[in-house]
Amino acid sequence: MEKLNVILLLIDGARVDRIHQFPIFQKLKQHGTFFHQMITHAPYTLVSMNSIFTGMYGSRNGINAYYQMYADPKSGCQTLAEYLSENGWYTSGDAMRLSLVSHKGFNKITSQEEIENPDFFKIHSKILDEIINEKESDQPFFAYLHYPKIHNSIKENVFDKYDDFSEEYFSKKEQNLKDYDTYLKEASDYLEKMYQKITDEGLDSNSIIIIMADHGMGVGEKIGERAYGIFTYEYSIRTFAFFIQPRIFPPEKSILQLTETIDIMPTILGALEIPEKDSCLKIQGKNLMTIIHGSTNSKSNQNELDGRFAFSETGGVEGPWPSPKEPNVKCIRNSKWKLIHNITPGNWELYNLEKDPQEDENLIDSLPDIANKLKSKMEEIENKILES
């Protein structure tokens, strides 16, 4: 099989429920397979990206909290960049911050965090040119390009002005959402130009192109969290991914089934026919090729408690229960039910996502049988994470 390039464009903080407004995302839907029920393991970049690049949950790879910046995944974890490098790929990355992603396996990794008002299209376009010039002529490459300006705009206009309980901020959710959409519009302009660059260079013919977000972004939906990283509500844990390479991923196909961001690495390895190493810790994500080719585009197990569940966790630096050393908010979710355990105050939340997608009505006291079954399911999932 021809060794395809892999180009991963990460749009940090892009909300899946807002991308429909912008033509580039409609174009991506036409060109690739769209996963729009994808759940991130953690609603902040550090743990999310390390789980994506290892195909493992944070408690398994050893990076599950904010205070583990600059750490590498624990011994036995093989990163995506390591897999690709060992199999002949030239690997290059541009991260939001160098502390957020393991450097293992990268031939070159950079960051623009010290540059004022960087033009990410120019920077990433130049990085693609440099990759093509620096690699061997017939060598495939992996490019990880992180677009952080939504995050940067939220920091400047939200984090630097308000705290997690500012009445002024939480009282203007409609305006906050309008502001957010202007940041997403700028991201869509970047993406439009990057995608055009990729096609102009002919890279769409010999590359797997992945466009995704690491987590979503709140706009003041829940008092106690300005944007992300503190709770595990849908606006921050539900995300998306586009896989584009028509020989492998069917164009114009939308996947309704629940998936997880830890599935991205094994899907890439499967598409490239790179076997998982028995000598390393086992990848916990699933190869999505089985869903792609077996999908009926119907919600499976939507009324069940025994279908696939996604697992997410977080521990905020701020908010009502700061816990930057270890996660203290955990949740499991399938296509209908979500159970949240807030460990520090010791309470639980239960939501019917079909009837209450905004998670306004906590059913924990009114549906004790379902709650108890989901609590057992959460315990089972956490035990399996550590055992596998």
Side-chain angles (χ1 to χ4, degrees):
M1 176 182 173
E2 175 192 3
K3 287 188 173 182
L4 297 170
N5 306 312
V6 179
I7 302 172
L8 195 162
L9 302 180
L10 184 82
I11 311 299
D12 191 304
R15 285 178 61 137
V16 66
D17 63 332
R18 306 303 294 174
I19 62 175
H20 64 276
Q21 305 171 85
F22 306 105
I24 179 58
F25 292 102
Q26 303 306 317
K27 181 187 293 187
L28 297 175
K29 284 184 183 181
Q30 294 172 359
H31 291 186
T33 299
F34 178 37
F35 295 88
H36 55 94
Q37 296 289 340
M38 184 167 275
I39 307 302
T40 187
H41 171 51
Y44 58 103
T45 301
L46 172 70
V47 173
S48 176
M49 290 313 303
N50 278 284
S51 67
I52 289 167
F53 281 167
T54 60
M56 301 178 195
Y57 299 106
S59 55
R60 185 60 168 158
N61 68 29
I63 299 179
N64 65 350
Y66 273 103
Y67 279 9
Q68 289 152 0
M69 287 190 182
Y70 290 107
D72 278 324
K74 67 183 180 184
S75 177
C77 294
Q78 182 93 349
T79 69
L80 175 60
E82 287 181 294
Y83 266 105
L84 294 177
S85 179
E86 290 178 4
N87 283 274
W89 272 255
Y90 179 88
T91 56
S92 179
D94 187 69
M96 181 171 74
R97 291 200 297 271
L98 292 176
S99 59
L100 297 178
V101 177
S102 172
H103 302 183
K104 293 170 66 177
F106 280 103
N107 294 104
K108 184 177 183 180
I109 188 163
T110 57
S111 172
Q112 313 306 319
E113 58 188 307
E114 301 300 329
I115 299 177
E116 187 174 352
N117 296 320
D119 183 326
F120 284 97
F121 168 67
K122 289 184 178 179
I123 292 166
H124 290 167
S125 180
K126 182 180 178 183
I127 287 174
L128 276 180
D129 291 338
E130 290 173 347
I131 290 172
I132 293 169
N133 291 329
E134 291 172 3
K135 71 181 187 68
E136 299 294 331
S137 59
D138 60 347
Q139 185 181 21
F141 68 83
F142 168 51
Y144 162 56
L145 302 174
H146 187 143
Y147 176 88
K149 288 196 73 175
I150 295 175
H151 166 274
N152 295 347
S153 297
I154 292 292
K155 180 183 183 304
E156 178 182 353
N157 297 305
V158 178
F159 287 139
D160 291 349
K161 293 182 179 180
Y162 308 103
D163 65 32
D164 287 309
F165 303 93
S166 294
E167 183 178 348
E168 179 185 356
Y169 176 71
F170 290 95
S171 66
K172 59 183 185 74
K173 286 183 285 188
E174 288 187 11
Q175 182 59 50
N176 296 342
L177 186 58
K178 289 179 182 178
D179 292 341
Y180 172 84
D181 283 345
T182 65
Y183 315 145
L184 186 56
K185 170 63 167 63
E186 188 176 4
S188 74
D189 292 342
Y190 156 87
L191 186 54
E192 181 82 57
K193 290 186 286 187
M194 282 300 299
Y195 193 63
Q196 189 63 52
K197 163 76 174 178
I198 289 167
T199 56
D200 287 347
E201 296 289 341
L203 295 172
D204 55 325
S205 66
N206 62 352
S207 303
I208 296 171
I209 304 162
I210 303 158
I211 294 99
M212 63 172 295
D214 51 346
H215 57 79
M217 189 74 69
V219 292
E221 289 93 337
K222 303 286 186 179
I223 294 173
E225 179 174 61
R226 288 162 289 179
Y228 67 94
I230 292 171
F231 300 141
T232 57
Y233 296 115
E234 291 296 285
Y235 55 75
S236 67
I237 70 164
R238 184 178 161 223
T239 183
F240 64 90
F242 295 90
F243 281 75
I244 301 171
Q245 174 42 250
R247 286 179 280 167
I248 303 173
F249 302 100
E252 298 187 80
K253 189 173 184 98
S254 291
I255 304 296
L256 299 180
Q257 284 94 328
L258 190 73
T259 58
E260 299 183 75
T261 54
I262 62 168
D263 300 334
I264 288 172
M265 174 176 167
T267 303
I268 292 171
L269 296 182
L272 298 174
E273 299 182 356
I274 297 175
E276 182 177 353
K277 294 172 68 172
D278 293 335
S279 59
C280 298
L281 290 177
K282 184 174 176 57
I283 293 172
Q284 296 175 311
K286 301 180 185 301
N287 183 345
L288 295 175
M289 299 300 294
T290 56
I291 293 178
I292 291 170
H293 295 293
S295 171
T296 60
N297 279 342
S298 63
K299 292 182 180 179
S300 60
N301 299 305
Q302 63 179 3
N303 296 313
E304 303 296 331
L305 295 177
D306 59 354
R308 184 179 186 185
F309 280 82
F311 175 76
S312 302
E313 61 184 356
T314 191
V317 176
E318 300 179 35
W321 322 300
S323 184
K325 293 183 178 180
E326 61 182 0
N328 68 340
V329 179
K330 305 189 179 192
C331 82
I332 57 169
R333 178 211 193 276
N334 69 0
S335 59
K336 181 173 183 178
W337 298 106
K338 178 192 261 184
L339 180 74
I340 300 173
H341 187 195
N342 301 305
I343 295 170
T344 299
N347 59 33
W348 297 80
E349 301 171 56
L350 173 66
Y351 298 101
N352 183 328
L353 297 175
E354 289 182 344
K355 296 181 179 179
D356 179 25
Q358 304 304 315
E359 298 164 289
D360 291 325
E361 185 181 3
N362 184 1
L363 303 172
I364 195 68
D365 294 325
S366 59
L367 296 174
D369 289 346
I370 290 175
N372 288 331
K373 288 177 181 178
L374 289 172
K375 287 178 183 180
S376 296
K377 172 62 72 172
M378 180 180 282
E379 182 179 4
E380 175 190 331
I381 289 171
E382 289 193 88
N383 288 336
K384 282 185 178 180
I385 288 170
L386 295 175
E387 290 171 359
S388 63

